[in-house]
Amino acid sequence: MIGSLVATAFWAMLPAYVPNNAAVLAGGGRPIDGGREWRGARVLGDGKTWRGTAVGTLVGVLLALALNRLATPAGAALGVDLPTFALPAAFALAFGAMCGDIGASFLKRRSGRERGAAFPGLDQLDFVVGALAAVFVVDTDWALAVFTPSVLAVVLVMTPVLHVVTNVGAYALGLKNEPW
Ligand code: CTP
Ligand code: K
Ligand code: MG
């Protein structure tokens, strides 16, 4: 029971988990805010770039399309009915995750935090809130069917754990400047 909830939650959120990590690898180039400031601080900061956002979104969508081909065999192996992703849902999960992260940077700059500063809680859940909000708007029926209250509960508990583990790992590998 809990195993199938975790499998479903992880599978359904993968197109939202991967974009942020892809952006870390792809980031650089022009910042989205173009260097502009608002009320004495950068609007978003140099950590939110056009390239990172575009590549992150693309990687999330491509991953969802790859998962669609694996859903049947992987589901059979696990004994779980794993969901597939229509293109709008895939895009909403990936781009919504990137937008949640961008929104968090906006809030960090407003609260005087420099680029790279930690904001515990927000850092671990910003992209989840963005991805879920977007997919519930874009593909409501699919989202209601996949993200039942118990799957949502697993997502909210599991995501911060995965976030901490992947970011500490990326920091240890020298891919990320901070371990959060
Ligand atoms: N990145 C990017 N574009 C995004 C998100 C991330 O280019 N939309 C890249 C940037 O190189 C960024 C790195 O991924 O520095 C790590 O992402 P994150 O930790 O979200 O950014 P920070 O640099 O920590 O900046 P902030 O304080 O605004 O979160
Ligand atoms: K972040
Ligand atoms: Mg950071």
Side-chain angles (χ1 to χ4, degrees):
M1 179 61 189
I2 186 76
S4 67
L5 286 178
V6 170
T8 303
F10 183 69
W11 181 274
M13 286 302 288
L14 263 178
Y17 287 155
V18 170
N20 288 286
N21 300 299
V24 172
L25 301 178
R30 250 160 49 82
I32 294 170
D33 67 9
R36 278 184 289 274
E37 298 196 351
W38 187 49
R39 298 190 175 192
R42 287 285 295 275
V43 179
L44 301 173
D46 284 332
K48 305 297 121 154
T49 68
W50 290 108
R51 192 166 80 207
T53 308
V55 172
T57 303
L58 185 67
V59 168
V61 169
L62 292 177
L63 175 70
L65 298 180
L67 292 178
N68 284 345
R69 295 172 161 270
L70 298 172
T72 305
L78 295 169
V80 182
D81 199 9
L82 295 171
T84 54
F85 307 87
L87 196 55
F91 181 80
L93 286 167
F95 187 59
M98 295 267 68
C99 289
D101 175 61
I102 290 168
S105 291
F106 179 80
L107 294 178
K108 287 189 197 178
R109 301 301 91 85
R110 306 285 73 73
S111 61
R113 290 171 172 81
E114 298 292 337
R115 174 191 179 180
F119 197 146
L122 192 66
D123 280 329
Q124 287 72 37
L125 287 170
D126 51 19
F127 59 103
V128 178
V129 172
L132 289 176
V135 81
F136 268 86
V137 168
V138 166
D139 202 341
T140 309
D141 292 343
W142 181 86
L144 284 171
V146 173
F147 293 105
T148 59
S150 20
V151 171
L152 275 181
V154 170
V155 168
L156 292 182
V157 173
M158 178 179 68
T159 305
V161 177
L162 288 173
H163 188 270
V164 169
V165 171
T166 47
N167 283 286
V168 169
Y171 175 73
L173 291 173
L175 300 173
K176 215 169 180 293
N177 294 329
E178 304 89 17
W180 49 76

